[in-house]
Amino acid sequence: PSLVVAVGKRPITHPIRGLIGAAPQVAQGRFGQTITAETGDEIEELARQFNAMSVQLSESYATLEQKVAHRTQELSTLNAIATTVSQSLDLDEILNLALDKTLHAMGIEAGGIYLLDEDIGALSLAIQRGFGTKALPEIERLQVGEGFSGRVVESGEPLVVADVASDHRLTRKVVRKEGLHSMVVAPLNSSGKVLGTLFAISHDHREFTDQDLELLTSIGNQIGVAVENARLYEQAQQAAIIEERGRLARELHDSITQSLYSLTLLAEAGQRLAKAGDIDRAREYLYRLGEIGQQSLKEMRLLVY
């Protein structure tokens, strides 16, 4: 009887020992552990469920690692752009960095940035990647409400286009010749205003996720702040130039006015002395007239310079 019991319980205890040994391994993060049980009862079902759980945990962990790596890249992209925006007022440098980082993070080869000229209500292509030279003259300018970027500026909302070639909103047919397919566009927002668009477009079909849209929108907001800062800086420079010109004009006016008044007095005094026959003193006055005239000319040249 003892021998029969020992042999009979082995198919039961062996898989249980395997389960006991594998469970701590899975708990420590070593996924993919499996056990074998061919008992034809609940033990075998338990082993099957354990194996399924182990495989699922392994797949979930791999997916989580990919998501973490992707998210880390996105945060690195946002941080690099934010650093450049906070340290530089060179708009070209910011736009180039932002577009390159965006395309790299999304794994897309083509894209660009449109900036809005509010005075004429039109978009100008400030920078692009992946477009041929023949296509650029056709896409470098859009009216507000025209095409995909024009509609985004008009609505202020991001836009995803599954197939640009077959979309009725496409206004520039040259895009079809470029072989472009899926597209995502985000507005450049700052202080409640839309200052342009940031877009990425692929040559193959691409399903843009909510995460892609969130990344593009975040970058668009940072670029919008950079564009507004650059414009404010330019306005401040223009104001400073106008103020400096006004100051110089006032100095020029005051300086020359005094000199001309002195010249007038000396000329009148010289005329009186000449009429009175005092030629020597009249000659001195003429000499003083020449000195003041030369000095006035130097001051005027200096201020104009």
Side-chain angles (χ1 to χ4, degrees):
S2 298
L3 182 60
V4 171
V5 170
V7 174
K9 73 177 183 178
R10 181 174 178 78
I12 299 175
T13 58
H14 181 71
I16 291 178
R17 287 196 187 95
L19 179 61
I20 293 172
Q25 299 291 324
V26 174
Q28 293 175 11
R30 290 188 283 272
F31 306 120
Q33 303 290 327
T34 59
I35 58 175
T36 303
E38 297 178 355
T39 60
D41 56 9
E42 289 83 356
I43 299 294
E44 183 176 345
E45 177 62 21
L46 178 62
R48 190 180 67 80
Q49 294 293 339
F50 177 83
N51 292 341
M53 178 192 70
S54 181
V55 171
Q56 187 174 4
L57 284 173
S58 180
E59 293 175 352
S60 298
Y61 185 74
T63 302
L64 180 61
E65 283 187 325
Q66 292 177 357
K67 289 182 178 180
V68 170
H70 187 62
R71 186 57 176 168
T72 301
Q73 185 182 41
E74 289 181 351
L75 293 175
S76 175
T77 299
L78 291 171
N79 182 61
I81 296 173
T83 301
T84 305
V85 169
S86 64
Q87 295 179 352
S88 175
L89 288 171
D90 186 340
L91 189 57
D92 288 337
E93 176 188 0
I94 294 171
L95 295 182
N96 276 283
L97 174 73
L99 182 58
D100 289 339
K101 290 286 187 181
T102 300
L103 297 180
H104 177 71
M106 300 183 70
I108 292 181
E109 59 278 2
I113 296 174
Y114 280 103
L115 295 181
L116 174 64
D117 187 338
E118 294 181 330
D119 294 334
I120 61 176
L123 293 167
S124 297
L125 187 62
I127 184 174
Q128 61 82 27
R129 299 285 188 273
F131 287 90
T133 54
K134 293 182 179 180
L136 290 179
E138 296 291 328
I139 64 172
E140 64 183 1
R141 203 165 190 83
L142 293 172
Q143 296 298 317
V144 173
E146 179 188 6
F148 304 118
S149 288
R151 288 173 182 267
V152 169
V153 169
E154 191 174 50
S155 66
E157 297 295 330
L159 177 67
V160 175
V161 183
D163 184 7
V164 296
S166 62
D167 197 291
H168 69 278
R169 293 169 292 188
L170 179 66
T171 57
R172 304 302 167 91
K173 308 306 180 184
V174 71
V175 175
R176 292 196 180 99
K177 299 179 182 178
E178 291 289 302
L180 300 171
H181 203 283
S182 301
M183 182 180 188
V184 59
V185 189
L188 309 183
N189 288 315
S190 181
S191 303
K193 296 189 300 182
V194 179
L195 304 178
T197 64
L198 167 66
F199 69 90
I201 187 166
S202 64
H203 286 90
D204 301 319
H205 178 71
R206 167 83 177 256
E207 291 288 343
F208 291 106
T209 64
D210 292 339
Q211 196 169 356
D212 291 331
L213 202 58
E214 180 182 351
L215 172 64
L216 206 69
T217 302
S218 298
I219 295 175
N221 290 336
Q222 291 196 22
I223 297 175
V225 171
V227 171
E228 184 175 24
N229 288 343
R231 289 179 177 177
L232 290 174
Y233 178 69
E234 184 179 358
Q235 291 174 5
Q237 283 187 315
Q238 292 297 325
I241 290 172
I242 292 173
E243 182 180 356
E244 180 67 6
R245 285 176 176 171
R247 183 186 67 81
L248 290 174
R250 290 191 298 271
E251 289 188 6
L252 181 62
H253 175 270
D254 294 343
S255 176
I256 299 305
T257 298
Q258 292 177 5
S259 297
L260 289 175
Y261 183 66
S262 299
L263 290 173
T264 302
L265 293 177
L266 286 171
E268 291 177 353
Q271 288 177 0
R272 287 196 298 269
L273 290 172
K275 288 181 180 179
D278 194 348
I279 303 301
D280 291 336
R281 291 190 63 190
R283 188 180 293 112
E284 292 179 6
Y285 275 46
L286 287 173
Y287 179 76
R288 287 285 298 139
L289 278 170
E291 284 186 335
I292 295 175
Q294 289 293 330
Q295 183 63 30
S296 300
L297 186 59
K298 288 181 180 179
E299 289 182 5
M300 185 182 297
R301 286 175 176 171
L302 178 62
L303 289 171
V304 169
Y305 175 78

